[in-house]
């Protein structure tokens, strides 16, 4: 299909002449940021689930949350969720202020999606063998998190975008 010399009435046009690419790239950035926040939400849900389980599950006469390694897992999860949320909020603030945010959006997308995979994996650890079963939401959170790393550019593509923007050198040439 070819749209060369296609006339579009002024009322049907979105934006001014020549604005199409910029508008489309803005939508791509917003989509990537949306995935970042989705990943943060999945990770937060996994953290909440792990905290509740660690408080309630009793082993050897005490809650498993009293064990040092479980506390370490939960603490690591909380730090990662907080860091991801801040990266995503920073990118969102830049976009809302209509400032350039290509690097920040890519940082948020790459970090938040990979963070969600790590956090949900730790959530499965907290749940032990039960965390691997479909009866446990921790398993679903992990699958949902893993899927976020692929759409709107894989983590590796975002790392290339970040590197290109920071260095001014493309790795693809």
């Amino acid at each position: 299909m070819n749209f060369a010399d296609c006339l579009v009435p002024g009322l049907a046009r979105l934006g001014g002449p020549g604005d199409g690419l910029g508008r489309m790239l803005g939508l791509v950035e917003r989509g990537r940021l949306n995935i970042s926040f989705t990943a943060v939400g999945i990770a937060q849900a996994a953290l909440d689930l792990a905290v509740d389980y660690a408080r309630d599950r009793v082993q050897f006469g005490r809650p498993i949350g009293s064990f040092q390694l479980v506390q370490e897992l939960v603490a690591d999860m909380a730090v990662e969720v907080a860091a991801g949320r801040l990266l995503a909020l920073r990118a969102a603030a830049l976009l809302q202020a209509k400032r350039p945010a290509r690097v920040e959006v890519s940082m948020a997308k790459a970090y938040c999606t990979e963070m969600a995979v790590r956090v949900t994996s730790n959530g499965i650890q907290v749940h032990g063998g039960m965390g691997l079963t479909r009866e446990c939401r921790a398993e679903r959170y992990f699958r949902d998190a893993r899927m976020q790393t692929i759409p709107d550019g894989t983590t590796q593509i975002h790392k290339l975008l970040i590197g290109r923007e920071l260095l001014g050198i493309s790795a693809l040439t």
Side-chain angles (χ1 to χ4, degrees), residues 5-17:
D5 299 321
C6 177
L7 296 177
V8 176
L11 291 174
R13 190 172 47 220
L14 300 173

Side-chain angles (χ1 to χ4, degrees), residues 78-132:
V79 170
E80 291 226 57
V81 171
R85 182 176 286 117
L86 289 173
L87 270 175
L89 287 170
R90 179 171 180 250
L94 288 171
L95 285 180
Q96 191 170 27
K98 301 199 183 316
R99 294 182 52 206
R102 183 176 295 130
V103 170
E104 290 79 6
V105 168
S106 282
M107 286 178 176
K109 166 65 167 77
Y111 182 82
C112 290
T113 57
E114 294 294 336
M115 170 276 296
V117 171
R118 289 188 301 273
V119 166
T120 57
S121 179
N122 282 347
I124 288 173
Q125 282 297 120
V126 170
H127 284 82
M130 183 60 140
L132 297 171

Side-chain angles (χ1 to χ4, degrees), residues 36-46 85:
S36 301
F37 280 112
T38 299
V40 170
I42 293 166
Q44 182 67 58
R85 182 176 286 117

